[in-house]
């Protein structure tokens, strides 16, 4: 069954490679240096050819003054002038071609770097949603397991004071070992909370939760092997805390095919657990990235900067894809990946999203 200490945020294998970044920067720097050298050298050649042309011009002037005796020297001066012009033309062509080639190379390297960065961000968004999926799969195991506890089964079958006290004690023991939960509620089939694990902190016994989506769905579960996974919400009865609620039906005799006699609801302490996930994604300081988890309605349910949780909705251009990366009109890069689910937990249509400022 699940571990008591919450999320296992092992280091991601898709973090940026310093070697890759260094190589890309080195290639860009060397290309820029080659381009500058080419420009400087062709300018030097142009200066020399200008001097040659000036010398040739002076030679022509002097040969004309010398009259017939300078005629032969005039031919040489014209040839020198012509060579100078050819060298100047070659130098200009060399500068133009080298500048274009190095410019193309720099642009190609930049495109490759951006594509590599986008793919890495997409992988990291998958890493984030996979980590939360694996953790929430454990929550589905917890609720189905605990719904078979004899103390809870007996209390749901006959909620006498002694049975309620014992069930509450049992729920408290579970909470002492599984610190990722705010509270555990045992409800009857009418939606009345009849026992909870933290009665000293949350006075919820006697409250009716029949109107909640998760309870209505839990009442329709076909067997003890099934479960309900709720979206993240603020739970007023738990001090308006952010929780993800998981439910299973409590059944007669603790048997999967027994008649339903109650509902167990476990409230996962969402905010600190999800924060550990998104803040643990290693995007790199230079990426200026915001790591998000969003639900199927694109509502932000976790954010590495702690902003907009349960209040902000983002615009994702999925284009029918489960994963991808694109730039919006402002130049911001957005990478996303849909929940892949884990084992029997199919996921709720959530996405891992990374937003990198332009």
């Amino acid at each position: 069954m699940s571990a008591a200490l919450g999320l296992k945020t092992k280091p991601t294998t898709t973090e940026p490679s310093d070697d890759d970044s260094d190589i890309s920067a080195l290639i860009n720097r060397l290309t820029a240096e080659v381009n500058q050298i080419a420009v400087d050298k062709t300018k030097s050649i142009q200066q020399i050819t200008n001097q040659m042309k000036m010398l040739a011009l002076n030679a022509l002037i002097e040969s004309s003054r010398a009259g017939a005796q300078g005629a032969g020297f005039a031919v040489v001066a014209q040839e020198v002038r012509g060579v100078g012009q050819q060298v100047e033309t070659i130098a200009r062509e060399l500068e133009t071609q080298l500048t274009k080639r190095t410019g193309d190379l720099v642009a190609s390297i930049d495109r490759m770097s951006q594509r590599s960065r986008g793919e890495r961000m997409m992988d990291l968004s998958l890493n984030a949603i996979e980590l939360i999926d694996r953790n929430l799969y454990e929550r589905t195991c917890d609720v189905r397991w605990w719904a078979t506890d004899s103390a809870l089964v007996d209390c749901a079958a006959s909620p006498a004071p002694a049975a309620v006290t014992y069930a509450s004690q049992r729920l408290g023991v579970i909470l002492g070992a599984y610190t990722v939960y705010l509270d555990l509620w045992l409800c009857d089939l009418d939606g009345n909370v009849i026992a909870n694990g933290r009665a000293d902190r949350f006075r919820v016994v006697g409250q009716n939760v029949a109107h909640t989506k998760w309870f209505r769905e839990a009442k329709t579960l076909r067997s003890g092997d099934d479960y309900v996974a709720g979206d993240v919400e603020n739970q007023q009865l738990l001090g308006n805390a952010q929780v993800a609620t998981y439910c299973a039906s409590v059944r007669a005799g603790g048997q999967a095919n027994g008649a339903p006699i109650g509902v167990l609801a476990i409230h996962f302490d969402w905010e600190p657990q999800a924060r550990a996930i998104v803040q643990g994604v290693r995007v790199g300081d230079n990426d200026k990235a915001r790591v998000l988890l969003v639900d199927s309605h694109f509502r932000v349910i976790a954010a590495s900067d702690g902003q907009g949780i349960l209040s902000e909705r983002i615009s994702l251009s999925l284009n029918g894809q489960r994963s991808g990366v694109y730039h919006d009109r402002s130049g911001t890069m957005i990478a996303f990946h849909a929940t892949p689910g884990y084992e029997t937990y199919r996921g709720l249509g959530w996405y891992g999203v990374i937003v990198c400022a332009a």
Side-chain angles (χ1 to χ4, degrees), residues 83-157:
V83 169
Q85 288 175 338
Q86 290 178 9
V87 171
E88 182 180 25
T89 300
I90 292 171
R92 286 177 177 171
E93 290 176 351
L94 177 64
E95 179 182 8
T96 299
Q97 292 179 13
L98 279 176
T99 301
K100 182 179 184 303
R101 295 290 195 281
T102 54
D104 290 344
L105 180 58
V106 169
S108 177
I109 292 170
D110 184 63
R111 287 193 298 271
M112 291 171 60
S113 178
Q114 286 295 320
R115 183 166 61 250
S116 175
R117 181 181 180 224
E119 290 173 352
R120 180 172 63 84
M121 291 301 171
M122 187 171 64
D123 287 343
L124 288 172
S125 65
L126 170 61
N127 184 260
I129 196 66
E130 274 189 326
L131 281 173
I132 201 65
D133 275 354
R134 292 186 182 196
N135 188 267
L136 298 182
Y137 162 71
E138 294 182 354
R139 311 289 66 88
T140 68
C141 295
D142 289 344
V143 71
R144 287 176 288 177
W145 174 31
W146 297 336
T148 66
D149 189 286
S150 60
L152 305 188
V153 173
D154 292 344
C155 183

Side-chain angles (χ1 to χ4, degrees), residues 318-335:
L318 302 179
N319 294 322
Q321 303 297 313
R322 290 183 55 80
S323 62
V325 59
Y326 64 92
H327 290 79
D328 65 13
R329 292 181 179 179
S330 69
T332 297
M333 185 175 73
I334 301 172

Side-chain angles (χ1 to χ4, degrees), residues 214-268:
W214 47 263
F215 181 83
R216 294 196 307 269
E217 292 180 354
K219 280 192 65 175
T220 66
L221 292 174
R222 292 179 295 180
S223 79
D225 295 326
D226 299 322
Y227 63 87
V228 170
D231 269 318
V232 180
E233 64 178 0
N234 291 114
Q235 176 51 253
Q236 186 177 6
L237 296 177
L238 296 175
N240 214 38
Q242 298 169 17
V243 298
T245 300
Y246 292 78
C247 300
S249 55
V250 180
R251 294 181 174 261
Q255 300 299 312
N257 58 355
I261 56 176
V263 168
L264 176 64
I266 64 176
H267 301 288
F268 182 61

